[in-house]
Amino acid sequence: MNTSDLEGPHDQMAEAPASSKINWPKELFEWLKTAGIAFVIVLALHLFVFNLSTVEGHSMEPTLRDKEWLFVNKVVYKARSPKAGDVIIIKDPLDVRMGLSKPELLVKRVVGVPGDQIEIYNKKLYRNGQLVNEPYIDTVIEGHDYGPHIVEKGSYFVLGDNRHAQASKDSRVFGTVPEALIQGKADFIVWPLNQMTML
């Protein structure tokens, strides 16, 4: 065995092929491209599919409480119309009528759909002459009687779940809500975690 036999393999290992070097500019570009695509997808989902909305105030108690986060489904009403019992996010009709560029967003419950006759009588809610079972409220409807009112085509009658006197600005104040002002359906509470539940 001669010295050239011993040195040959060591010489070959000492020379790293140039192709194994990392091309940092190319790697950075690929990472930025991936991050950009992900950002666009998330943004599109946020704009057209869902978003998170924060409850502000007490008009939906006891169902929803101040500062809870809601998962809002923005595409469900592409497939079907809102129905009684849905918890929805709407643009404040009063703000819209005043021409505000950023109307306040409100969370309310649909209690009447187009064609329904809504009446509040003797502190209770009636739809089409029938007493509505509302397991989500914790009090009778305080305040004045209302109606009867026939919900117009393309509009919805909404109430807050908090039925204490003057606790909720809803259809008793601003009338029925045109479907165009409905931003989506609140599907469930996502935060805080101990309150996570379907609506």
Side-chain angles (χ1 to χ4, degrees):
M1 188 177 293
N2 57 39
T3 56
S4 63
D5 292 329
L6 294 173
E7 292 174 355
H10 292 286
D11 291 342
Q12 292 173 356
M13 293 175 63
E15 294 180 5
S19 60
S20 67
K21 293 181 181 179
I22 298 175
N23 186 338
W24 288 109
K26 183 179 179 181
E27 289 293 321
L28 179 61
F29 173 77
E30 290 297 324
W31 184 88
L32 290 174
K33 183 171 73 171
T34 301
I37 292 171
F39 176 78
V40 170
I41 291 172
V42 170
L43 183 61
L45 289 173
H46 176 75
L47 289 175
F48 302 109
V49 179
F50 75 90
N51 69 347
L52 299 179
S53 183
T54 305
V55 177
E56 295 183 2
H58 307 279
S59 73
M60 282 295 289
E61 291 180 354
T63 306
L64 301 174
R65 301 192 179 278
D66 191 42
K67 306 306 180 187
E68 289 179 338
W69 291 9
L70 306 176
F71 178 93
V72 180
N73 185 333
K74 301 175 76 171
V75 298
V76 62
Y77 295 137
K78 304 291 185 185
R80 69 167 178 86
S81 298
K83 61 184 180 181
D86 286 359
V87 176
I88 62 174
I89 308 298
I90 63 171
K91 292 181 180 179
D92 185 334
L94 295 180
D95 287 354
V96 172
R97 289 173 200 154
M98 289 191 299
L100 298 185
S101 58
K102 289 188 176 180
E104 183 181 7
L105 295 180
L106 308 175
V107 55
K108 301 296 170 188
R109 187 182 296 274
V110 176
V111 299
V113 301
D116 280 345
Q117 177 181 282
I118 298 298
E119 183 175 11
I120 297 170
Y121 175 73
N122 197 23
K123 303 184 183 302
K124 295 178 181 179
L125 176 66
Y126 292 85
R127 182 168 55 241
N128 302 323
Q130 300 295 316
L131 178 65
V132 179
N133 178 32
E134 298 189 284
Y136 39 79
I137 64 175
D138 62 2
T139 183
V140 296
I141 304 176
E142 298 177 357
H144 302 293
D145 290 347
Y146 183 96
H149 177 86
I150 303 295
V151 181
E152 303 87 345
K153 182 179 179 180
S155 295
Y156 296 84
F157 198 98
V158 301
L159 293 176
D161 286 357
N162 188 339
R163 303 296 170 78
H164 292 278
Q166 299 180 336
S168 173
K169 180 169 67 171
D170 49 40
S171 287
R172 293 170 292 178
V173 176
F174 49 63
T176 53
V177 179
E179 189 166 4
L181 300 188
I182 298 176
Q183 302 299 288
K185 178 180 181 292
D187 278 342
F188 52 89
I189 301 169
V190 297
W191 186 264
L193 293 178
N194 63 354
Q195 297 297 324
M196 185 178 291
T197 185
M198 298 291 292
L199 295 173

